[in-house]
Amino acid sequence: MEPGENREPQGPSPRSMRGRLALYYRHNERLLGEGRQEIAPQDLAAGLGLDEQVVAADMKRLGIEPGPSGALATQKIKAVAEHQLGLRPVNTAVLVGMGRLGAAIASYEGFGAHGMRIMAVFDDDPAKIGRFQGGHKVLPLEQLEDVINIFEIRLAVLTVPAEAAQAIATRLARAGVAAIWNFAPVRLDLPEGVVVRNEHITAGLAQLCSDLREANLRRLPPEED
Ligand code: NAD
């Protein structure tokens, strides 16, 4: 941004992070409106007339980590700021199992419109931990309970292999998760009060194949007497 261009009103920096959060949110909305997917922390600081170190410390506290390019994902800033400011009744969620399916779900931005915002993703594979995927830094399982607690998470997406699903689901429930969107092909045994939605993409495929078979049969020429 050029000096003076589109700058937020200058003045003393708000003393509390909550005060600055409103500034981050407003500025970030403008960036999103311009189609920006990322912003460098120093540009965010400059755009708001804030000290770079203050902005870096705020982002760290909020769990908004710079990506490999050193920039912050604007969608992540939006999600965190909206949650912290209580702007939208979205359900914040964690996702466990950043494999092929987990990564696809975590990258999809459309879930926000349906009431779910993924705040953090977890995996137990050391090769994935610390790497960025779909705007999220993959976190180790040791941080699961803390993140659930800090962000008051009640919803979880489970995309681990079947054999790992029950142990993770139990851990999620103990940490306070009340609803699990389960993609693992296993029936979860959970305390009363925890709701589970088992998702079977393959059930839809089986139906489609059956419909195709029937359509093919209808297309066969009538049998001759
Ligand atoms: P994947 O192997 O690509 O990914 C699984 C991920 O889970 C890996 O990154 C792995 O490191 C991680 N993981 C394993 N154990 C873990 C643990 N204890 N804690 C945290 N992370 C752990 O598998 P995928 O193809 O993405 O499938 C994921 C799950 O979704 C599987 O259970 C699969 O059967 C299921 N699936 C369901 C549907 C459906 O229609 N419901 C479709 C595809 C896959």
Side-chain angles (χ1 to χ4, degrees), residues 35 78 153 187:
K78 180 182 176 75
I153 302 250
R187 188 157 288 280

Side-chain angles (χ1 to χ4, degrees), residues 90-204:
V90 287
N91 293 297
T92 50
V94 291
L95 181 145
V96 187
M98 271 299 268
R100 289 158 293 193
L101 184 60
I105 292 174
S107 327
Y108 181 56
E109 286 166 11
F111 289 128
H114 297 279
M116 179 181 81
R117 199 163 311 276
I118 294 173
M119 302 296 284
V121 302
F122 296 85
D123 205 286
D124 75 343
D125 181 351
K128 292 185 179 169
I129 292 166
R131 293 184 62 185
F132 274 81
Q133 267 183 299
H136 298 277
K137 183 175 180 178
V138 181
L139 301 177
L141 283 174
E142 297 81 72
Q143 293 181 20
L144 185 65
E145 284 78 7
D146 277 352
V147 169
I148 289 171
N149 193 19
I150 290 166
F151 290 105
E152 298 171 351
I153 302 250
R154 296 291 170 264
L155 179 61
V157 184
L158 196 52
T159 46
V160 293
E163 59 274 19
Q166 181 61 59
I168 296 291
T170 301
R171 204 168 150 180
L172 289 165
R174 283 203 185 122
V177 163
I180 297 179
W181 194 13
N182 174 38
F183 288 84
V186 59
R187 188 157 288 280
L188 299 170
D189 182 14
L190 289 165
E192 214 175 301
V194 180
V195 289
V196 178
R197 161 86 198 187
N198 294 306
E199 212 58 71
H200 302 288
I201 303 171
T202 44

Side-chain angles (χ1 to χ4, degrees), residues 2-16:
E2 292 300 315
E5 179 202 338
N6 265 345
R7 250 174 208 277
E8 299 293 328
Q10 298 296 295
S13 160
R15 279 172 188 270
S16 69

